[in-house]
Amino acid sequence: MIKIGILGDIGSGKTYVAKNFGYPVFHADDEVGKIYKKDRKVFNKLKNVLPDYIYSFPIDKNEIIKAILANKQNLKKIIKIIHLEVRKKMNKFLKKNQRKKIVILDIPLLLENKINKKTDILVFVQSKKKDILKKLKKRKNFSFKLLTIFKDIQLSLAYKRKKSQFIIINNFTSKSVKKSIKSILRKIL
């Protein structure tokens, strides 16, 4: 099985690119959402470490955001708890799809959390800053402060780009993305 990890800036279109490969995608952000909605054990752990912020189940994303904005150390506490569960879900996904030719890993902190293996293929999604910002501003709960906190825990884009075997220029048109994906698949299959 070939694992392709998708890297790029927040809002660069990683998820869109991942879905366009046409292979099973492990989307970490979706899994986090499911954990917040369904995992009472995680709720109890978060409530224990962040009792001033986390008090309702299913976990309200606004409570998470308030905790992070109040103190960026809270993000590290959240990641420590959530990351373990996301990794378990990823391992189940990989086991379920072990017979597939290719799987796509859409995991925002793929390199930071050392989830990738040396044999994985890394694809960097590059987009113009102004296009990214325009897209991010449309998101519910968008905040520059939150964006800065998330960027602070990530490796530099230059480093991620350098580590990648392929680069997809995402100008937010499906034609260019699909053409780049076809080219990558031709080279790796």
Side-chain angles (χ1 to χ4, degrees):
M1 169 194 347
I2 298 169
K3 288 188 277 174
I4 299 176
I6 308 295
L7 307 175
D9 202 358
I10 296 167
S12 63
K14 295 181 298 294
T15 299
Y16 176 75
V17 168
K19 288 177 183 173
N20 272 282
F21 267 90
Y23 289 94
V25 177
F26 179 77
H27 182 56
D29 287 347
D30 282 355
E31 294 304 325
V32 169
K34 290 175 194 170
I35 290 167
Y36 287 161
K37 283 183 184 132
K38 298 176 183 174
D39 197 321
R40 195 168 279 280
K41 244 183 354 189
V42 168
F43 163 70
N44 289 328
K45 288 178 186 176
L46 287 171
K47 189 178 166 128
N48 281 342
V49 296
L50 300 166
D52 296 339
Y53 303 99
I54 309 298
Y55 37 83
S56 59
F57 184 81
I59 299 167
D60 183 344
K61 247 186 171 172
N62 288 318
E63 293 174 14
I64 297 288
I65 290 168
K66 283 178 188 166
I68 295 167
L69 290 173
N71 181 345
K72 65 180 180 182
Q73 291 305 310
N74 289 342
L75 177 58
K76 290 181 179 158
K77 293 175 184 177
I78 294 165
I79 288 172
K80 192 175 178 184
I81 292 166
I82 295 294
H83 175 71
L84 187 66
E85 297 304 315
V86 171
R87 196 178 277 260
K88 285 180 195 172
K89 289 183 176 284
M90 183 192 73
N91 288 335
K92 278 184 191 172
F93 167 85
L94 291 172
K95 195 171 188 171
K96 178 183 164 199
N97 290 289
Q98 66 189 352
R99 300 213 186 287
K100 302 285 186 205
K101 197 182 289 188
I102 294 175
V103 293
I104 311 297
L105 302 177
D106 179 13
I107 304 173
L109 299 174
L110 184 76
L111 296 181
E112 291 82 351
N113 289 324
K114 297 172 177 61
I115 295 170
N116 64 304
K117 306 268 188 290
K118 284 192 188 300
T119 55
D120 294 351
I121 292 169
L122 300 177
V123 175
F124 184 82
V125 179
Q126 184 174 313
S127 304
K128 290 180 183 167
K129 292 250 183 273
K130 69 175 177 64
D131 292 339
I132 291 173
L133 209 51
K134 194 162 59 174
K135 200 173 144 236
L136 286 174
K137 284 179 180 176
K138 291 178 184 174
R139 285 186 183 178
K140 198 176 123 194
N141 299 325
F142 173 75
S143 147
F144 277 108
K145 186 177 179 188
L146 198 59
L147 180 64
T148 304
I149 292 168
F150 282 124
K151 282 186 176 241
D152 284 348
I153 64 163
Q154 295 188 2
L155 294 166
S156 76
L157 293 176
Y159 177 81
K160 289 180 179 185
R161 186 183 165 118
K162 188 176 154 193
K163 285 286 185 192
S164 299
Q165 290 90 338
F166 299 99
I167 295 166
I168 290 180
I169 306 292
N170 184 11
N171 57 11
F172 299 99
T173 64
S174 65
K175 190 178 176 186
S176 70
V177 168
K178 287 178 180 175
K179 187 178 173 188
S180 296
I181 289 170
K182 269 185 186 172
S183 171
I184 290 169
L185 290 174
R186 269 196 307 271
K187 290 173 185 164
I188 63 174
L189 290 176

